[in-house]
């Protein structure tokens, strides 16, 4: 399995953030203000970051429309 240093996290085709390899995993950098609560959070892998972004989106489904 290939490992990358950066990932783009998208939720329902909307960009949520960029993951950049950091000590201990990957640091999340929000692309949309709807995901700013995750800014700077470190995740062990891209799957964990995507799950966190999806949970955040479920808590506030209108956030992406407001942030656009």
């Amino acid at each position: 399995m290939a490992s990358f240093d950066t990932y783009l996290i998208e939720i329902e085709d909307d960009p949520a953030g960029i993951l950049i390899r950091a000590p201990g995993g990957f640091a999340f950098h929000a692309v949309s203000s709807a995901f700013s609560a995750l800014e700077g959070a470190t995740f062990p892998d891209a799957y964990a970051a995507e799950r966190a972004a999806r949970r955040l989106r479920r808590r506030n489904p209108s956030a992406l429309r407001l942030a656009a």
Side-chain angles (χ1 to χ4, degrees):
M1 177 179 202
S3 180
F4 299 98
D5 289 330
T6 58
Y7 292 92
L8 174 64
I9 302 296
E10 294 180 325
I11 306 300
E12 298 178 13
D13 294 326
D14 292 316
I18 297 171
L19 292 180
I20 299 175
R21 188 176 297 280
F26 291 88
F28 188 95
H29 299 280
V31 173
S32 166
S33 62
F35 297 95
S36 63
L38 298 175
E39 181 70 32
T42 302
F43 297 95
D45 54 46
Y47 298 114
E50 183 178 353
R51 285 192 304 270
R54 287 187 184 284
R55 279 193 304 271
L56 185 60
R57 170 69 192 270
R58 279 195 300 270
R59 285 196 305 253
N60 191 1
S62 63
L64 280 180
R65 288 188 292 271
L66 296 174

